Amino acid sequence: MAIEQTLLGSGPGRPPGRPRSERAERAIIEATLDLLIQEAGVAGVTIEAVAARAAVGKTTIYRRWPNKEALIIDALATLKGPIPDLAGESVRDDLVALARAVRPSQDPRLDCVWNIFGGATKHPHLARQFKQTVVLPRQEVMRAVLRRGIANGELRPDLDPEVAMAIIAGAVTMRARSLSPDEDLPEDFADQVVDTALRGLSSGSAPSCTGP
């Protein structure tokens, strides 16, 4: 009974102590992204400025993030969106889901991501951390899908997953970056990219990916 009460009282995944305010965390993230835009980059972001803009105390920020670099990484990661849950039944369907996740948001603050990479020589640690925590996990999921396709015969045995990833993710990203602010990618653009790529990536014995 005591164990059951302890589990019920703590809640799933909730750490001991006072729960963090999701509203405060969202305000902190938004304040960080706004400052990255308005202050033209990393140098203009300080914990003091974020706290003032988000109307929270600095201790509220430090309870969640050890420093401004970690805060910036988490803020930029929110612009990328979560890694989608994959059904794992069809390589084609999983690749489409991942390609849709690659598709950048039209949020102008997404330029912050490009500025981080463009300024990698100025902020090498930040660029490296962003790649480790945001970019590489997404790449590894797509890599695993491609390897599964090779193993089960849906994709060519001589396929290089790195080249395939560059084809799919690169096509979506390049097209999205060419849009004007009032444009958006067609809803089926990710499907078109994957289906076009799979015409060259699929093994001869694999079923058609584009349907009748």
Side-chain angles (χ1 to χ4, degrees):
M1 186 62 158
I3 294 176
E4 181 180 337
Q5 289 176 339
T6 300
L7 292 174
L8 291 174
S10 61
R14 176 173 292 175
R18 186 173 63 179
R20 300 188 184 100
S21 165
E22 292 184 8
R23 185 164 52 184
E25 289 194 11
R26 187 66 242 170
I28 293 166
I29 291 292
E30 291 294 323
T32 303
L33 292 171
D34 288 343
L35 285 168
L36 282 167
I37 287 285
Q38 295 175 10
E39 301 299 330
V42 174
V45 179
T46 65
I47 295 298
E48 291 78 7
V50 172
R53 191 177 190 91
V56 301
K58 289 192 295 182
T59 54
T60 300
I61 298 176
Y62 281 120
R63 276 198 297 266
R64 176 65 179 85
W65 294 276
N67 49 53
K68 84 167 189 176
E69 287 76 15
L71 173 55
I72 289 172
I73 293 296
D74 273 6
L76 293 176
T78 66
L79 298 178
K80 298 291 285 184
I83 298 174
D85 292 327
L86 304 178
E89 298 174 357
S90 159
V91 168
R92 186 264 180 192
D93 291 347
D94 286 352
L95 289 176
V96 168
L98 291 169
R100 287 173 178 163
V102 168
R103 165 182 167 165
S105 119
Q106 290 300 92
D107 190 324
R109 295 175 302 185
L110 191 67
D111 287 338
C112 296
V113 175
W114 298 95
N115 290 339
I116 290 295
F117 282 109
T121 54
K122 188 174 182 180
H123 304 287
H125 175 69
L126 196 60
R128 189 163 51 248
Q129 281 297 107
F130 183 83
K131 183 176 181 179
Q132 287 289 333
T133 60
V134 179
V135 177
L136 293 184
R138 287 162 171 75
Q139 289 181 345
E140 186 52 39
V141 172
M142 184 176 287
R143 188 178 291 114
V145 171
L146 292 165
R147 287 172 176 164
R148 189 183 84 227
I150 295 170
N152 67 19
E154 289 184 71
L155 302 179
R156 290 166 35 184
D158 61 343
L159 172 67
D160 184 337
E162 306 305 313
V163 173
M165 285 196 300
I167 291 172
I168 295 171
V172 176
T173 301
M174 183 177 70
R175 180 72 178 89
R177 294 288 294 171
S178 70
L179 297 173
S180 61
D182 59 342
E183 288 183 297
D184 198 5
L185 283 175
E187 286 298 322
D188 64 345
F189 186 75
D191 303 66
Q192 293 180 38
V193 168
V194 171
D195 287 338
T196 300
L198 285 180
R199 292 190 189 104
L201 304 180
S202 298
S203 66
S205 60
S208 173
C209 298
T210 57

